[in-house]
Amino acid sequence: MSHILEVEGLTTVFDGDGGQMTSADGISFYVDPGEIVCIVGESGCGKSVTSLSLMSLLGRGGKVRAGKALFEGRDLLSMSEKELDKIRGDAVTMIFQDPLTSLNPVFTIGRQITESIRVHMHLDKEAAFKRAVSLLEKVGMPDAASVMKKYPHLLSGGQRQRVMIAMALSCRPRLLIADEPTTALDVTIQAQIMQLLKELQKDLGMAVILITHDIGLVAQMADRVLVMYAGQIIEQAPVLRLFDEPGHPYTQALLRSVPSIPRFSGSREEVLAAQEADGKRLESIQGVVPEHYDRITGCRFADRCPYEEERCHEPQEEVACGPAHVARCWKTARLEQTDGMTQEKEG
Ligand SMILES: Nc1ncnc2c1ncn2[C@@H]1O[C@H](COP(=O)(O)OP(=O)(O)O)[C@@H](O)[C@H]1O
Ligand code: SF4
Ligand SMILES: [Mg+2]
């Protein structure tokens, strides 16, 4: 199968007061048609920078210094604004964490959705209106016709995110990039929106890149997982493989912080109680993501890693540690071969 997206060596820098910072460093991955790929990692690891780079939405001070991002064989990173405009919000769309900042406060929901439909689907006003209402119904919006007349601030966070999803789907994208789409929402609403995204993804057969800092979400949503740490992808694997045999010590630590009880089942009270119980048991990772991580020449996780030793301070390449599974840690591969990771973990 040919990949729908193939990213190779994506490197993004920001100019700041303290000089230049390489926020995403040599990012390489692929997404297949109809696949859900999750990018997971703690806050500040370069997940958003990676997705914004793909769409050329970095804003002031940020630029892509190297790399390719082939979408259906064409490099998004070397396209003109005009070419990109044809793709963005059409074949590829993005949804973000805070829908209020993405919606225009002075226009009604109806106007914003119909405009987006008219631009991309070349429908007349009436047809676009009908399609907008049916999209809102599809994303589970109660009383869709009256929501069309409302302004964004009158909707709840969950309703606004449904509107954003409706807009993102209005032109039947082949790739949807969702950057922490439910982080700002209540846990039960979060579950509903994720369920909705998964159903729509199946229905439309679109590929999804889902960015999250929540490894629990990954378990429910992903086909394949990319783990990011300090500007690099440090592990890639199919989801079951990652949960069964995490290779990189950072991933192992992330997994130890996953609640054991499925978080999204039961009533709101049950979910919250389960989370609280888990919270008492969970182990969080000691320390923080280093601030100027691009200045570290060796393993960027070394200062937090229980297995750190001298060789860890040399540059780390991705090494194969299983089928479709790589990790950026020399020790993972060695321990895997000698079957010693378990011993070391226990020891
Ligand atoms: N607009 C910006 N200007 C300067 N630095 C930025 C900007 N956006 C992100 N960064 C830096 O890039 C790094 C990665 O950020 P980001 O991709 O937003 O992390 P994540 O999405 O994983 O939480 C951070 O160190 C952050 O400080
Ligand atoms: S390279 Fe060394 S410090 Fe880094 S994750 Fe592997 S064992 Fe830990
Ligand atoms: Mg982010």
Side-chain angles (χ1 to χ4, degrees), residues 248-249 299 301-302 305 307-309 312 316 328-331:
H248 197 285
C299 172
F301 186 58
C305 181
Y307 311 114
E308 176 265 347
E309 57 181 272
C312 301
Q316 300 295 317
R328 196 182 286 276
C329 163
W330 69 276
K331 223 170 179 179

Side-chain angles (χ1 to χ4, degrees), residues 36 38 95 161-162 165 178-183 185 187-201 208 210-212 214 216-218 220-222 263-264:
I36 303 185
C38 281
I95 49 178
Q161 199 54 286
R162 284 179 202 268
I165 294 172
D179 188 351
E180 311 257 11
T182 56
T183 301
L185 304 177
V187 31
T188 44
I189 307 292
Q190 177 175 357
Q192 289 167 13
I193 298 276
M194 279 300 155
Q195 187 60 35
L196 169 70
L197 255 187
K198 198 154 186 176
E199 280 164 17
L200 293 169
Q201 181 266 341
V208 175
L210 174 65
I211 296 173
T212 177
D214 180 350
L217 246 189
V218 172
Q220 296 166 33
M221 298 293 290
R263 249 178 60 182
F264 295 141

Side-chain angles (χ1 to χ4, degrees), residues 41-42 45 227-229 234 248-254 285 301:
E42 285 164 288
C45 282
V227 184
M228 272 193 90
Y229 186 75
I234 54 94
H248 197 285
Y250 177 63
T251 313
Q252 292 168 6
L254 269 184
I285 310 170
F301 186 58

Side-chain angles (χ1 to χ4, degrees), residues 78-265:
S78 58
M79 277 184 194
S80 66
E81 268 301 303
K82 209 171 153 193
E83 286 174 297
L84 272 171
D85 274 341
K86 278 196 203 136
I87 289 188
R88 277 190 304 230
D90 195 274
V92 186
T93 52
M94 256 189 105
I95 49 178
F96 300 95
Q97 178 176 331
D98 182 3
L100 200 52
T101 55
S102 318
L103 288 167
N104 192 326
V106 301
F107 295 127
T108 60
I109 298 299
R111 174 154 175 193
Q112 295 184 60
I113 307 187
T114 43
E115 244 166 44
S116 143
I117 292 173
R118 289 187 70 188
V119 168
H120 293 286
M121 300 198 86
H122 312 290
L123 294 178
D124 66 29
K125 231 176 172 168
E126 203 186 318
F129 185 89
K130 275 193 186 147
R131 179 154 169 80
V133 173
S134 95
L135 274 166
L136 284 178
E137 283 166 353
K138 200 175 171 79
V139 299
M141 185 74 89
D143 203 3
S146 82
V147 167
M148 292 284 282
K149 294 185 213 128
K150 288 187 175 160
Y151 289 88
H153 71 274
L154 291 174
L155 304 184
S156 69
Q159 286 175 322
R160 284 197 289 264
Q161 199 54 286
R162 284 179 202 268
V163 170
M164 286 313 296
I165 294 172
M167 280 170 77
L169 299 181
S170 64
C171 42
R172 298 183 174 277
R174 297 192 286 286
L175 174 65
L176 173 74
I177 304 176
D179 188 351
E180 311 257 11
T182 56
T183 301
L185 304 177
D186 180 282
V187 31
T188 44
I189 307 292
Q190 177 175 357
Q192 289 167 13
I193 298 276
M194 279 300 155
Q195 187 60 35
L196 169 70
L197 255 187
K198 198 154 186 176
E199 280 164 17
L200 293 169
Q201 181 266 341
K202 262 199 202 137
D203 266 15
L204 302 175
M206 64 183 172
V208 175
I209 298 176
L210 174 65
I211 296 173
T212 177
H213 62 267
D214 180 350
I215 191 112
L217 246 189
V218 172
Q220 296 166 33
M221 298 293 290
D223 295 312
R224 219 151 37 76
V225 189
L226 317 177
V227 184
M228 272 193 90
Y229 186 75
Q232 296 175 323
I233 293 179
I234 54 94
E235 184 155 8
Q236 308 196 28
V239 67
L240 292 178
R241 168 85 194 169
L242 189 95
F243 277 74
D244 282 350
E245 301 266 338
H248 197 285
Y250 177 63
T251 313
Q252 292 168 6
L254 269 184
L255 286 172
R256 282 196 295 272
S257 68
V258 194
S260 54
I261 305 158
R263 249 178 60 182
F264 295 141
S265 58

